[in-house]
Amino acid sequence: MKKLRFGFTGESKVLNEFSNKLGQWWYIFFAAAGSALISVCASFAAGFNFIEKYNDINDLFPILCLLIWNPWSGILLGVIAILYGGKGTFNDLDNLNSQNETLRAENEEVSDLKNQINSISEDSEALQNELTELQEKLVETWLKGSSRQWNLSSQERVTIYYYVDEHFYLLARHSQNPVFAEQHRMKFSRNQGVISKAWQHKICVDIEDCPLYKDDPEGYKSYMQKHYQYDSEKIDNLAMKSSKFVAISIIDADKHIGVIVVESVRADFFKSQKVSQIRKHCTDYQSYMVDFVKGAIKYDKSAKIAKNQNQLVDQDIMDTLKGR
């Protein structure tokens, strides 16, 4: 198919653009042309003797030409052009003002709508935060009860993590030691630490080989780097440099969705009987932990969906404004 500049299949927009410009300046052109016509004709009208020229003509056609083609007819035509162009320009400006008022009113409606959406989003976010806090308090209460059964001291702590989007997130933590109970980090790699080992292999028990940090800092760092892929800087930043671990995967219908970790800085805390007690307790209360983790995953994803929806609404409003 050959490309043509003009014709029915042509791609040229020159004439369209010209006609659009002509249409936009139509009334202004008539007003300006009428003013110019009056100025030119008025310069000839002073020396033009209509009666004398009329008496000199005997035929009908020249008389008609005289009536049409004379300075006074030009002045009359200029007045008509000015009136036509002026009225059209006035109506055009009135229409523009009406359109501007309409756009202003629509923009105010969009602004009000956006404010309402923001208000609803803030309320939804506040409710989401309250639900998340209640979920965390519920899990912390359960961890406190479990800690008492296991006789955990200020040198131990227990933490539950949930897994979503290829990372672990801290759900809840309890320790009698407020330093160990602090939550400095919330997001953890799935390829590091005891939580990674337990998540992959259902359970990770490390209670014999890891040196105590206070007795052998360099040996502790070397062990953590070799077995859990922790670098030296990360180890230095750990608030609790645990050397004894029992980590058990939380499983829902054969799907690993989280991990519970019990850890200690004491050398003699974990005995085989204690490990068996923790494993039995986690088995007995596996359904509780599954509900805790599934709730955390639900609230986590709900928050992300709400955030994405807010962004989409804001984008729709911007697109609407641009379209107008």
Side-chain angles (χ1 to χ4, degrees):
M1 181 175 175
K2 296 181 179 179
K3 291 186 178 181
L4 300 176
R5 185 171 179 81
F6 298 101
F8 290 104
T9 61
E11 298 179 353
S12 176
K13 297 182 179 179
V14 176
L15 295 179
N16 289 335
E17 293 176 356
F18 175 76
S19 62
N20 289 335
K21 291 294 183 183
L22 180 61
Q24 291 172 356
W25 290 89
W26 180 262
Y27 295 114
I28 296 176
F29 168 76
F30 268 92
S35 178
L37 183 60
I38 289 174
S39 298
V40 173
C41 290
S43 64
F44 291 98
F48 185 81
N49 192 328
F50 181 83
I51 297 176
E52 181 179 339
K53 291 185 176 295
Y54 180 80
N55 292 331
D56 292 339
I57 300 174
N58 295 322
D59 296 331
L60 179 61
F61 182 74
I63 292 175
L64 292 175
C65 291
L66 178 63
L67 292 173
I68 297 172
W69 190 258
N70 66 79
W72 295 106
S73 297
I75 292 173
L76 178 61
L77 184 61
V79 169
I80 294 174
I82 289 176
L83 292 175
Y84 173 76
K87 182 180 180 181
T89 302
F90 176 81
N91 291 334
D92 196 25
L93 291 174
D94 188 55
N95 289 338
L96 286 174
N97 290 331
S98 298
Q99 290 178 2
N100 288 336
E101 290 296 329
T102 301
L103 287 174
R104 187 179 295 108
E106 290 176 350
N107 288 338
E108 290 177 355
E109 291 178 2
V110 170
S111 179
D112 292 340
L113 178 60
K114 186 175 181 179
N115 291 335
Q116 293 177 14
I117 292 173
N118 289 336
S119 177
I120 294 173
S121 298
E122 290 173 0
D123 293 340
S124 175
E125 184 176 354
L127 179 59
Q128 186 73 38
N129 292 335
E130 290 180 7
L131 291 173
T132 302
E133 290 176 2
L134 289 174
Q135 172 78 359
E136 292 176 357
K137 288 180 179 179
L138 176 63
V139 181
E140 287 176 5
T141 301
W142 184 83
L143 290 179
K144 288 179 182 179
S146 299
S147 298
R148 283 194 291 269
Q149 290 194 31
W150 300 333
N151 295 319
L152 302 187
S153 70
S154 60
Q155 298 185 74
E156 288 81 42
R157 76 178 178 192
V158 56
T159 309
I160 290 183
Y161 303 87
Y162 66 93
Y163 181 78
V164 64
D165 295 337
E166 299 185 350
H167 286 86
F168 290 101
Y169 294 87
L170 196 155
L171 172 56
R173 169 175 287 167
H174 173 69
S175 175
Q176 294 183 31
N177 188 329
V179 175
F180 294 164
E182 291 180 353
Q183 300 181 8
H184 299 286
R185 293 174 57 201
M186 301 301 295
K187 183 178 180 180
F188 303 84
S189 171
R190 72 171 183 175
N191 299 317
Q192 290 181 330
V194 67
I195 54 177
S196 174
K197 301 288 186 182
W199 180 69
Q200 295 179 48
H201 307 293
K202 295 186 179 181
I203 187 170
C204 176
V205 178
D206 188 351
I207 59 175
E208 296 179 355
D209 300 327
C210 182
L212 295 178
Y213 180 81
K214 64 178 182 179
D215 296 337
D216 185 6
E218 294 304 319
Y220 179 84
K221 289 183 179 180
S222 177
Y223 185 88
M224 296 298 286
Q225 289 173 349
K226 178 180 179 180
H227 290 85
Y228 300 119
Q229 291 72 52
Y230 280 179
D231 57 42
S232 180
E233 181 181 358
K234 182 174 290 187
I235 295 171
D236 290 335
N237 292 330
L238 292 174
M240 182 178 182
K241 296 176 176 60
S242 305
S243 56
K244 311 299 176 184
F245 308 93
V246 173
I248 300 173
S249 181
I250 300 171
I251 304 173
D252 177 36
D254 294 330
K255 182 179 181 181
H256 295 213
I257 60 175
V259 174
I260 182 171
V261 179
V262 185
E263 52 193 315
S264 177
V265 295
R266 282 195 286 172
D268 58 347
F269 176 72
F270 284 112
K271 304 295 184 181
S272 59
Q273 184 178 0
K274 179 67 67 176
V275 174
S276 298
Q277 180 190 12
I278 293 173
R279 293 185 64 173
K280 183 178 186 306
H281 184 85
C282 290
T283 300
D284 293 341
Y285 290 92
Q286 181 77 196
S287 60
Y288 285 81
M289 293 190 294
V290 168
D291 289 340
F292 295 153
V293 171
K294 289 173 70 175
I297 294 173
K298 174 184 176 181
Y299 294 138
D300 181 275
K301 290 186 175 180
S302 296
K304 291 179 180 178
I305 291 172
K307 181 178 179 181
N308 292 335
Q309 286 178 338
N310 292 341
Q311 292 175 346
L312 289 173
V313 168
D314 290 343
Q315 186 61 45
D316 288 342
I317 291 174
M318 294 302 298
D319 292 341
T320 302
L321 288 173
K322 290 178 181 179
R324 289 173 179 168

